[in-house]
Amino acid sequence: MDTFILIEIVAKIVFVFAVCLGVVPLLVWFERRGSAWIQGRVGPNRVGPFGLIQPVADVAKFFFKEFWTPANANKWYYHLAPIFALVAPMAAMTIIPFGSHLVIGDYIINLQVARVDSGVLFILAFAGLEVYPIIIAGWSSNNKYSILGALRGASQIISYEISMGLALLSILLVYGTFDLHKMVEWQNQRFFGFLPAWGVLVNPIGALIFWVSTFAETNRLPFDLPEGDSEIVAGYHLEYGAMKFALFFMAEYVAMIMASALMCTLFFGGYNLLPGMHALVDLIVSVHGFAEAGRQNATAILQFLSFFLKVSFFMVVMIWVRWTLPRFRFDQVVNLGWKILFPLALCNVVIVSIVMYSMN
Amino acid sequence: MGTVNVSREYTLKEKIYVIALFQGMILTLKRFIDGFFFRKHYTIMYPEQKRNYSQNFRGMHFISVDENKTENCTACYLCQTVCPAECITIVAEERNPATNSYGVRKEKRPLSFDIEALKCCFCGFCEEACPMDAIKLSRNYELSVTSRQEAVYDLKHLKREVKGRG
């Protein structure tokens, strides 16, 4: 293999994982400070400027805590679950395109770790994997609250996977491809000359269903029944302490990043420049006098920036919703999944396919 | 008397739920703006700011002293007797009559006066029982210690030159 390609791949993997794991402490900080602001509190503000170092201090504390295993737990699965929880969403991050391409010399670097033709299937596979850590953790801990949490998690995630899959199907009919890169390129066109052709404008119901389902998939608050602090203590990760708990905790945030990135890629134009950023590109190019390659590189960097901003917006919305809505009752969750979202998603698929057929 | 079911039919607006959801989101957004931009919060930043408790707050005891820095306590055992938690232990001693300038006013003095703060229920009976207004309850509520032994306060700790309620 060409050395340059090897370096390129390693650099991209390191970049994606570094950004991903680097955002987690910030997100934890924002979750805590943001909730404090919403509730008229102050939040952690002692460690570092504005309390920004607090999540790092928390993880340092987790590192030094006792590595404890319940006596009757199944050791192998008990230790496997937190690893699984973190790896599944991290692996799904590899196929999210975060920019078009960079040009360095003769090489063209696609800003996507793995260009998988069947990208959506890959994502579905890894989203489906997110249910396993919950089941494994709940079952292997040998605790009744854990198993209740695992049961809830399993039924909830499987119910919402159906409506999520149907929402994906409806948008796939519009794009006509499984490749996330091509989807983003499709969204680069414009309606009526000015409106960006984002998936959400083509298929708003699909976007809403997908967004609601991602909340259920990532176990965020209106659907955080597997954890359900007030009913089943901490649900599936009740028996986990120290760094094993921290892994679950980080996994929740990585899953949040993954879900937001996916929402952004599928429905909100992916890495396409935000409205008004084209002028910024022109300005940078004219100031520095870049050639074609320089223009492309400047565009790619701004594309990454706009992708980052869009994903940040969705993560903020996730936190915002968490501190707005109380937890649903379990029958309400299942009713919403099977009686409302599933028929709605099905109708949406039918309508979108009729419209697409009649337009071609 | 069975359970009375008072459920009602939901209107369409309530059934859709999304409207109520957005109302809630706007409400929390307003609170967020209050907190983020205007720094509005109800938290008392504790070690720097302190809650202003009532004048009647009953905190840690102290023993008042007179103008010669001599404790007002005459070791009459009334506080030890009245104490429901039995946390006060007094050992009495007679003052030397030759050097005692107080005369009959202070014939006895406490050799030791221990209060086990962990046993104390802060009822204030000792303060009420005291005929000399010697033992009093201050408004000090910061009583954390690192061991049980440190929570036993002796006369040296308790003697404070405080006017009125500390």
Side-chain angles (χ1 to χ4, degrees), chain A residues 203-285:
Chain A
N203 190 357
I205 297 172
L208 186 68
I209 293 168
F210 186 81
W211 187 228
V212 173
S213 304
T214 43
F215 272 90
E217 292 281 315
T218 51
N219 302 320
R220 291 292 295 177
L221 196 86
F223 307 109
D224 79 332
L225 290 134
E227 285 180 40
D229 314 60
S230 53
E231 303 139 28
I232 50 173
V233 197
Y236 61 95
H237 57 54
L238 170 59
E239 292 284 2
Y240 287 85
M243 207 53 210
K244 286 174 283 185
F245 170 74
L247 280 182
F248 271 119
F249 194 69
M250 277 153 75
E252 190 190 327
Y253 287 92
V254 174
M256 250 173 89
I257 297 168
M258 203 277 280
S260 307
L262 199 56
M263 181 70 188
C264 174
T265 308
L266 290 172
F267 292 101
F268 284 83
Y271 59 72
N272 284 320
L273 292 174
L274 288 167
M277 270 199 171
H278 287 288
L280 195 62
V281 173
D282 289 337
L283 185 73
I284 290 169
V285 169

Side-chain angles (χ1 to χ4, degrees), chain A residues 120-175:
Chain A
V120 172
L121 294 181
F122 188 89
I123 281 177
L124 279 180
F126 278 97
L129 219 57
E130 273 178 35
V131 70
Y132 285 101
I134 293 178
I135 298 176
I136 293 171
W139 186 261
S140 64
S141 311
N142 196 13
N143 177 312
K144 63 182 169 189
Y145 295 119
S146 297
I147 194 72
L148 281 172
L151 282 171
R152 286 173 170 200
S155 53
Q156 171 191 318
I157 289 179
I158 288 168
S159 326
Y160 279 83
E161 207 141 88
I162 291 167
S163 45
M164 184 180 153
L166 285 171
L168 266 177
L169 189 63
S170 66
I171 200 73
L172 286 180
L173 286 168
V174 176
Y175 297 145

Side-chain angles (χ1 to χ4, degrees), chain A residues 255-318:
Chain A
M256 250 173 89
I257 297 168
M258 203 277 280
S260 307
L262 199 56
M263 181 70 188
C264 174
T265 308
L266 290 172
F267 292 101
F268 284 83
Y271 59 72
N272 284 320
L273 292 174
L274 288 167
M277 270 199 171
H278 287 288
L280 195 62
V281 173
D282 289 337
L283 185 73
I284 290 169
V285 169
S286 63
V287 166
H288 293 280
F290 283 153
E292 197 53 42
R295 185 187 176 85
Q296 176 57 40
N297 287 350
T299 314
I301 290 165
L302 282 176
Q303 278 172 338
F304 173 71
L305 192 68
S306 43
F307 182 70
F308 193 82
L309 285 176
K310 285 178 196 171
V311 173
S312 314
F313 171 76
F314 284 110
M315 293 189 294
V316 168
V317 169
M318 274 189 147

Side-chain angles (χ1 to χ4, degrees), chain A residues 30 33-34 37-38 40-42 45-46 317 320-321 323-325 328, chain B residues 17 21 24-25 28-29 31-32 35-36 39-43 45 48:
Chain A
F30 186 76
R33 283 311 292 270
W37 288 323
I38 286 172
R41 296 182 285 116
V42 177
N45 62 346
R46 303 276 164 153
V317 169
W320 179 13
V321 167
W323 297 102
T324 303
L325 294 179
F328 286 140
Chain B
Y17 189 75
L21 196 152
M25 298 272 283
T28 43
L29 185 65
R31 293 286 176 277
F32 181 84
F36 182 70
R39 298 266 161 236
K40 188 181 169 191
H41 59 79
Y42 302 96
T43 313
M45 305 300 289
E48 292 92 26

